[in-house]
Amino acid sequence: MTISYSILLLLVLGIFVFCYLVATKVWIQVDKEKKDSDNTPKNRRDFLYISSMSIGGLGVATFMWPFIKSMNPAEDTLALGSTEVDLSQIDIGQSITVKWRGKPVFIKRRTEEEILEAKNVDLNSLRDPAADEDRVQNPEWLVLEGVCTHLGCVPLGQKMSDIKGEYKGWFCPCHGSHYDTSGRIRKGPAPENLAIPPYRFISDSVIKIG
Ligand code: FES
């Protein structure tokens, strides 16, 4: 349930609880007055008061509904927040780039050699230490935000013909940052590894990013 629906539910509940409390209070008073005297015009006024309160409460809820509903993100916005990617057409050693929230996301199907190179690294030698195992969900598939952590250029390395840098991963030509086959910064001015976007495998060959 979204936050705005929760707010609406609380609002409607609040109105009903308020009406219930008012009604209870009035009916107790009515009962008490009935015992003192049979005052029919006053009872009728109380009934009208309770009815108008209830109808007013429902009216407020109905009036508020479009405003509260408009607070939810539109469906096309929600769709932009996540992207499903079919991996079945990507061969070993190939990479593709997809867009997610306006950013390029690199998806690389790594070779055995690239996986071994990513694993056999002394973490103490890294500027931004991170084990390869902690950067992948399946060693064969590396998913990275394709945004250099120096000043935000898009590194080279996605095409077979691209320069991949000294560590055979990605190379950012803007100021010369080299990333390895796990997307970790190894040389150059970039301070951090390429970021890993939130994603999950929804089947053996499809991931959902976002
Ligand atoms: S933006 Fe990539 S090295 Fe500067």
Side-chain angles (χ1 to χ4, degrees):
M1 187 183 285
T2 60
I3 292 172
S4 54
Y5 282 111
S6 304
I7 293 170
L8 179 70
L9 192 63
L10 283 174
L11 184 70
V12 172
L13 277 175
I15 289 166
F16 276 104
V17 168
F18 176 73
C19 291
Y20 174 77
L21 290 175
V22 169
T24 308
K25 188 169 181 290
V26 170
W27 283 117
I28 288 170
Q29 201 176 344
V30 166
D31 263 5
K32 193 168 167 252
E33 285 173 4
K34 249 185 176 178
K35 283 174 190 165
D36 297 340
S37 66
D38 186 17
N39 191 353
T40 308
K42 189 171 187 341
N43 288 349
R44 189 158 177 268
R45 196 173 66 231
D46 291 335
F47 173 74
L48 287 172
Y49 178 65
I50 293 162
S51 304
S52 56
M53 285 291 292
S54 303
I55 291 166
L58 281 173
V60 169
T62 309
F63 176 75
M64 294 291 287
W65 174 255
F67 294 102
I68 292 167
K69 198 163 186 286
S70 70
M71 288 159 70
N72 282 324
E75 283 188 9
D76 53 348
T77 309
L78 283 174
L80 281 176
S82 64
T83 304
E84 286 185 18
V85 185
D86 180 6
L87 308 176
S88 62
Q89 303 302 314
I90 306 172
D91 289 331
I92 293 173
Q94 271 190 341
S95 295
I96 62 163
T97 304
V98 298
K99 278 266 178 184
W100 173 66
R101 293 189 176 169
K103 291 185 232 176
V105 171
F106 296 166
I107 302 173
K108 166 102 185 172
R109 186 172 184 183
R110 298 190 296 184
T111 62
E112 280 295 327
E113 191 187 357
E114 286 168 334
I115 295 168
L116 278 177
E117 278 183 17
K119 283 184 174 169
N120 296 332
V121 171
D122 176 9
L123 297 189
N124 293 321
S125 70
L126 298 175
R127 183 179 302 166
D128 182 11
D132 184 60
E133 294 77 23
D134 296 334
R135 294 177 54 78
V136 290
Q137 295 180 24
N138 173 337
E140 198 174 33
W141 296 103
L142 180 65
V143 183
L144 302 167
E145 289 184 12
V147 180
C148 180
T149 59
H150 181 222
L151 293 176
C153 290
V154 177
L156 298 173
Q158 287 297 89
K159 291 187 199 145
M160 290 292 192
S161 56
D162 276 353
I163 299 169
K164 293 183 168 50
E166 289 180 23
Y167 295 87
K168 302 175 190 167
W170 289 266
F171 173 67
C172 184
C174 298
H175 311 92
S177 287
H178 298 248
Y179 296 90
D180 67 13
T181 57
S182 190
R184 293 170 298 202
I185 181 64
R186 301 296 293 273
K187 187 176 176 185
E192 293 174 2
N193 303 330
L194 293 178
I196 310 283
Y199 73 95
R200 64 191 168 91
F201 280 84
I202 55 176
S203 76
D204 286 347
S205 60
V206 178
I207 58 169
K208 185 171 188 174
I209 305 168

